[in-house]
Amino acid sequence: MDIHEYQAKELLAGFGVAIPRGGVAYSPEQAVYRASEIGGARWAVKAQIHSGARGKAGGIKLCSNEDEVRQAAKSLLGKRLVTHQTGPEGRVVHRLYVEAAVPIEREIYLGLVLDRKSERIMVVASAQGGMEIEEIARNSPDTIVREVVEPAVGMTAFQAREVAFGLGLTPAQVSRAVTTLLGAYRAFRDLDATMVEINPLVLTTDGQVLALDCKMTFDDNAMFRRPNVSELRDYAEEDPREAQAAEHGLNYVALDGNIGCIINGAGLAMATMDMIKHAGGSPANFLDVGGGASPDRVAAAFRLVLSDPNIEAMLVNIFAGINRCDWVAQGVVQATRETQLTIPLVVRLAGTNVEEGRRILHDSGLPIITAETLSEAADRVVAALTTRRTPAGPGRASGDVAGGNGQP
């Protein structure tokens, strides 16, 4: 789960990380009011979308008076901001963050991530701030400082000082940088984050160490115990189908193909998408219905997948261990009737109660194409799609049809 910059800053401030004064605005008038509340002579008006590289895309504007703040807010609110992280469709700016502009002496990169190789939290820092870490690694790899945190001990002040000295900070700056590092680490650990990135972390001419921009992402599976973080979720920033899937406890990722997929288990889902590609097709989504695929859950998955207008065929692939094939079959029949499905549907069932599941599909009288194996299912859904696209075709793929003369 991602959150906005201002939300990340508020969380980090609660752990002792210093941030510039700022406030959220939803209108030009509110932006001007925020600037007057903050005080000072210069402000940054920043578009709040879930993306980095906003400055390069014109999403951050520096202003020297209230009229400039008003004009900046007018130009950003409602604008579709396109960065290299949003894709060509961009994201609409619904809110702004007005922040005091600070006198910058140096910019530093600071990130905390889960390092899969060491199975530890890793601190990554660079004296070259303001750039993405990939760019720093490519152009200035020698500036990167890495520190792995032992989970049984946590990040120590000694480690934080090692990082600070590695960045070339002066003794006077080190103590403030250590406070920032330890605060960011505690926020990462205590809030079930998967990434904290402060870029840039700035050293100001008056001796402060401030988080000028920040991104945080969190483990979705841990949000049930972090209600203070979970309530920060902004559904307007997410794919509406992925948000709908989350409401039903489904794992859904939209892709750009035309074969809708409903599968239980992430590994089987990946294997199924590979088999579809091997058969010459293109999956339209990754959807894992999980281990408790009740009829209602399967029906919800159907409605979700079919909400994609690019879908031209469907493949249901269930290997039932915890699940029961008869439950899945009931859900498939229920969803097919409710949605009045007109596109080819291939179902492959295996595992618990598979005979009963196949009987339900067969007795439904619906034109459901069945398959025994994964490769067979992939071949049949691609063949069904090809046949459907052929004007003179019979409108039905080769293979067993549950409600026809074939065996289930």
Side-chain angles (χ1 to χ4, degrees):
M1 186 188 91
D2 297 323
I3 60 176
H4 290 291
E5 171 201 355
Y6 76 94
Q7 295 168 327
K9 283 181 172 174
E10 289 174 359
L11 290 176
L12 288 178
F15 288 87
V17 176
I19 61 173
R21 295 190 64 197
V24 183
Y26 295 88
S27 67
E29 293 74 21
Q30 201 171 17
V32 172
Y33 180 72
R34 290 298 187 199
S36 65
E37 272 190 328
I38 295 165
R42 297 186 74 214
W43 304 271
V45 179
K46 309 168 85 172
Q48 296 298 288
I49 60 172
H50 289 181
S51 173
R54 291 166 298 159
K56 293 178 182 176
I60 298 176
K61 298 183 183 299
L62 289 174
C63 305
S64 300
N65 56 58
E66 293 186 353
D67 187 54
E68 288 183 9
V69 171
R70 182 181 293 103
Q71 293 305 319
K74 282 183 178 176
S75 68
L76 290 174
L77 285 169
K79 177 182 178 181
R80 186 171 291 276
L81 195 63
V82 179
T83 75
H84 72 271
Q85 295 183 10
T86 63
E89 70 279 4
R91 287 183 177 164
V92 177
V93 179
H94 296 292
R95 64 186 85 180
L96 304 171
Y97 189 53
V98 182
E99 188 175 65
V102 296
I104 299 173
E105 178 184 309
R106 276 186 62 192
E107 295 186 351
I108 291 171
Y109 176 93
L110 174 63
L112 290 89
V113 295
L114 286 174
D115 179 48
R116 297 182 186 279
K117 185 176 181 180
S118 64
E119 300 179 346
R120 302 284 190 274
I121 295 173
M122 177 179 284
V123 178
V124 182
S126 170
Q128 302 293 320
M131 297 186 292
E132 296 181 29
I133 189 62
E134 294 84 358
E135 190 178 349
I136 296 172
R138 184 170 55 251
N139 298 328
S140 309
D142 296 340
T143 69
I144 295 179
V145 178
R146 295 181 174 86
E147 190 74 31
V148 176
V149 180
E150 172 59 46
V153 179
M155 189 171 191
T156 64
F158 172 78
Q159 285 182 300
R161 284 194 295 272
E162 284 280 295
V163 174
F165 282 118
L167 295 172
L169 304 187
T170 65
Q173 294 167 333
V174 165
S175 62
R176 292 187 175 89
V178 166
T179 301
T180 299
L181 279 159
L182 295 178
Y185 167 75
R186 286 195 294 270
F188 188 105
R189 179 196 62 191
D190 295 352
L191 300 178
D192 287 311
T194 55
M195 187 271 289
V196 174
E197 184 181 68
I198 302 175
N199 187 27
L201 175 69
V202 298
L203 311 177
T204 66
T205 54
D206 55 357
Q208 299 183 79
V209 177
L210 299 174
L212 200 60
D213 195 1
C214 180
K215 287 197 294 186
M216 292 184 75
T217 60
F218 300 89
D219 183 352
D220 284 326
N221 295 317
M223 288 301 96
F224 72 94
R225 63 183 182 187
R226 306 290 175 213
N228 61 322
V229 176
S230 182
E231 68 183 9
L232 301 179
R233 188 168 210 142
D234 184 357
Y235 288 102
E237 290 289 319
E238 300 179 3
D239 185 305
R241 289 167 292 177
E242 294 181 12
Q244 185 183 351
E247 290 179 5
H248 291 283
L250 304 169
N251 296 310
Y252 177 91
V253 178
L255 302 173
D256 56 3
N258 54 7
I259 297 177
C261 302
I262 297 176
I263 304 151
N264 71 315
L268 185 60
M270 296 296 288
T272 303
M273 289 192 291
D274 284 347
M275 291 303 293
I276 290 174
K277 294 290 287 187
H278 184 70
S282 181
N285 65 274
F286 170 102
L287 190 148
D288 174 12
V289 293
S294 65
D296 288 341
R297 193 181 179 90
V298 173
F302 256 75
R303 289 191 292 272
L304 179 64
V305 172
L306 290 174
S307 66
D308 182 347
N310 296 321
I311 298 292
E312 296 183 70
M314 288 271 290
L315 171 59
V316 177
N317 183 21
I318 301 293
F319 188 90
I322 300 173
N323 281 330
R324 288 172 38 180
C325 288
D326 54 329
W327 284 6
V328 173
Q330 289 172 20
V332 169
V333 171
Q334 175 186 330
T336 304
R337 287 176 173 154
E338 283 180 359
T339 59
Q340 298 181 337
L341 193 70
T342 57
I343 60 175
L345 170 61
V346 177
V347 179
R348 180 246 177 172
L349 300 176
T352 306
N353 286 4
V354 64
E355 295 301 328
E356 177 63 12
R358 290 172 179 171
R359 186 196 64 76
I360 291 171
L361 294 179
H362 180 261
D363 292 350
S364 69
L366 297 169
I368 299 172
I369 303 166
T370 60
E372 297 283 342
T373 66
L374 172 54
S375 61
E376 190 178 61
D379 288 340
R380 288 188 174 180
V381 74
V382 173
L385 183 59
T386 304
T387 302
R388 185 170 186 260
R389 286 175 167 176
T390 304
R396 173 178 290 181
S398 60
D400 297 333
V401 178
N405 296 327
Q407 295 300 311

